[in-house]
Amino acid sequence: LTRVVQRDIWRHQFPSGDCTNRRLLIASWAKTHAHGVGSQIHYMSALLSVAMQHNRTLVEQPDGFDRARIPACEAAGHNSQWECFFFPLASSACRHVIQQALQQNPDKIPHAENDYADVAARDDQIVAVGYANPTRLSMEAGAADLWGDASLRSPCTVQLGGKLATLTERQRKVHWWRAQAVRFIMRWPSAHLCHVTNQERHRAFGTVSANHVARFLQTQSESLSALSHSISASLGASTAAAIASATPAGANSTAAATACEARRQKASDQLAALASSTLSFQSDASGSGARGNGDTGNDAGWSVGVHEPYMPRPIVSLHVRGTDKFAEMGLSSLDSHVFHMTRIRPHALHLQHVWLNTETQANIDQTKEHPSWSFFYSSNARQGAAGSLRQYERDQSVAVSLASVLIAVQCDLFVGSLGSNWSRLMNELRSTNGRLLAGFVADNVEEW
């Protein structure tokens, strides 16, 4: 179903033709600089729902994404553009129409700043819409109806207090749509973001991966050496008996000896071939996509049957929000989140690895108090307890934060606080990447 929905959104956002006759909706980033990236992405998901319902193609305002005002984006030719991190929201033809309109007659473009529903009443080819409106949730629920009752047939796998969260029909529609919209908005990371993600992955997991491979090679070398001695001894001891049994009394034994030597050479060649292919990375022929457990050493620390980069598995994604978010939701400590992870352990006995997302240095320091868990996290500098997330995103490369999310959604299990937009992104992305049934253990759900 996700593939069908993504195809439909793609066709809507990338219409055929030059887009000159297409009705367009401009997503203005101008007033969103005061909000975190997670909030802005969810804002875009709301606007995409408006565009879908009113048969308009959503186009972001050119050069309006302030988190992309960094040297790397400028060097790539995408300064202040969402395209610096992910694929554009709309076709180049539609973006060109918007750019021309803004250059020629920007004051003539009507705005629907305070009422998204006002978009429906306008016949203008181009309409701009602003941030935040109390009708946003109802608009998102309406987008889900474009696919019938699909949103209501999708199970809720968010757990709170040991039980699955109970959602109203409207809430289920909103969260289903957001998962689909976020998947579209954050599709196909750019070359810059892929590079940053690979750097973060190598920095976090490189040593672990190398140790797994080294242990595997050592173990296999020892096994091959023992096998070689065993085969040689076995062939040597059986050669005389084989010649005697294969040669009639008084006959020339040369032919029989030659045959036995051929058998010995064949066994030796097979052994050499085995030694030369010590690492064999093969897909799961059954297509089941089952993962190997890197901690057992049975697969050289690599996932089997899953075409994803290496992570030590099983691993849980953990997001702990702090700093200025206390104004919007109750904050929980790292200890509280670790308690939820401990409750998961009976269902995943080998669970010990954690990919931690947090902007607070105190949470990083506190990981030392939990030696039974192996914590991994991105290289971003953290902030104090009283810092501002908006300022933090400006000071630190948002690409590293986005890379951390992309790594998080490839984990096996999920724990976080859904009052935070960042946790919501992880929950939404895992809902459309094959991990819906893995569940999400929420520390809070009221604000969600």
Side-chain angles (χ1 to χ4, degrees), residues 236-399:
S238 64
T239 297
I243 292 175
S245 63
T247 307
N252 190 326
S253 62
T254 302
T258 301
C260 286
E261 181 60 29
R263 290 167 52 198
R264 183 203 292 269
Q265 186 60 45
K266 181 179 180 181
S268 178
D269 292 343
Q270 291 174 340
L271 185 63
L274 178 62
S276 67
S277 59
T278 54
L279 289 180
S280 178
F281 305 107
Q282 297 180 354
S283 299
D284 179 12
S286 67
S288 62
R291 290 192 182 90
N293 181 0
D295 293 336
T296 64
N298 293 333
D299 58 5
W302 295 89
S303 297
V304 178
V306 177
H307 301 286
E308 292 180 347
Y310 169 79
M311 298 175 74
R313 298 189 185 275
I315 184 169
V316 57
S317 166
L318 173 63
H319 178 232
V320 184
R321 185 70 163 87
T323 62
D324 58 348
K325 193 66 174 179
F326 71 89
E328 300 178 21
M329 73 175 200
L331 300 181
S332 299
S333 65
L334 178 69
D335 291 339
S336 174
H337 288 79
V338 170
F339 170 75
H340 292 302
M341 294 195 302
T342 304
R343 291 178 60 242
I344 295 175
R345 261 185 169 163
H347 305 283
L349 298 179
H350 298 290
L351 182 62
Q352 70 177 83
H353 303 297
V354 183
W355 178 253
L356 174 62
N357 267 282
T358 184
E359 78 283 7
T360 309
Q361 182 59 40
N363 290 327
I364 299 295
D365 297 337
Q366 198 176 358
T367 60
K368 300 175 183 177
E369 301 175 11
H370 302 279
S372 64
W373 296 93
S374 297
F375 287 89
F376 302 90
Y377 38 82
S378 67
S379 61
N380 263 6
R382 266 66 186 185
Q383 59 183 152
S388 163
L389 177 64
R390 296 188 292 272
Q391 188 61 44
Y392 173 72
E393 287 182 343
R394 291 191 182 94
D395 294 341
Q396 300 297 321
S397 172
V398 71

Side-chain angles (χ1 to χ4, degrees), residues 8 13 59 64 93 96 122 143 182 221 255 259 298-299 305 323 335 352 355 378 393 411 415-416 425 441-442:
D8 293 344
Q13 290 294 112
V59 183
H96 179 69
R122 294 184 179 272
V182 167
S221 177
N298 293 333
D299 58 5
T323 62
D335 291 339
Q352 70 177 83
W355 178 253
S378 67
E393 287 182 343
C411 291
V415 176
L425 285 180
V441 179

Side-chain angles (χ1 to χ4, degrees), residues 43-190:
Y43 155 68
M44 294 299 292
S45 74
L47 289 185
L48 183 58
S49 74
V50 174
M52 293 285 293
Q53 292 176 80
H54 299 309
N55 196 27
R56 291 181 178 271
T57 294
L58 178 66
V59 183
E60 63 170 320
Q61 182 187 19
D63 305 327
F65 187 59
D66 73 328
R67 300 306 196 277
R69 293 173 186 169
I70 57 176
C73 294
E74 186 175 3
H78 301 307
N79 189 40
S80 302
Q81 297 176 10
W82 180 250
E83 192 175 352
C84 181
F85 304 116
F86 295 98
F87 203 77
L89 297 181
S91 68
S92 58
C94 292
R95 286 181 285 144
H96 179 69
V97 171
I98 290 294
Q99 200 160 24
Q100 282 192 322
L102 290 173
Q103 290 175 350
Q104 295 172 1
N105 299 300
D107 296 334
K108 292 185 178 181
I109 297 177
H111 288 255
E113 295 264 352
N114 300 314
D115 189 2
Y116 289 173
D118 185 41
V119 176
R122 294 184 179 272
D123 294 326
D124 307 86
Q125 181 194 5
I126 302 176
V127 175
V129 66
Y131 185 85
N133 186 274
T135 64
R136 184 177 67 176
L137 287 181
S138 61
M139 297 302 294
E140 288 182 291
D145 292 335
L146 297 175
W147 288 272
D149 64 347
S151 58
L152 302 180
R153 290 186 282 109
S154 180
C156 175
T157 57
V158 172
Q159 186 184 109
L160 179 66
K163 298 180 180 178
L164 291 178
T166 301
L167 303 178
T168 65
E169 179 176 321
R170 185 177 69 88
Q171 288 172 331
R172 292 174 67 181
K173 290 181 177 181
V174 169
H175 298 310
W176 180 88
W177 164 253
R178 281 187 179 177
Q180 296 295 339
V182 167
R183 168 61 55 189
F184 181 81
I185 294 169
M186 298 181 68
R187 74 204 185 287
W188 298 345
S190 66

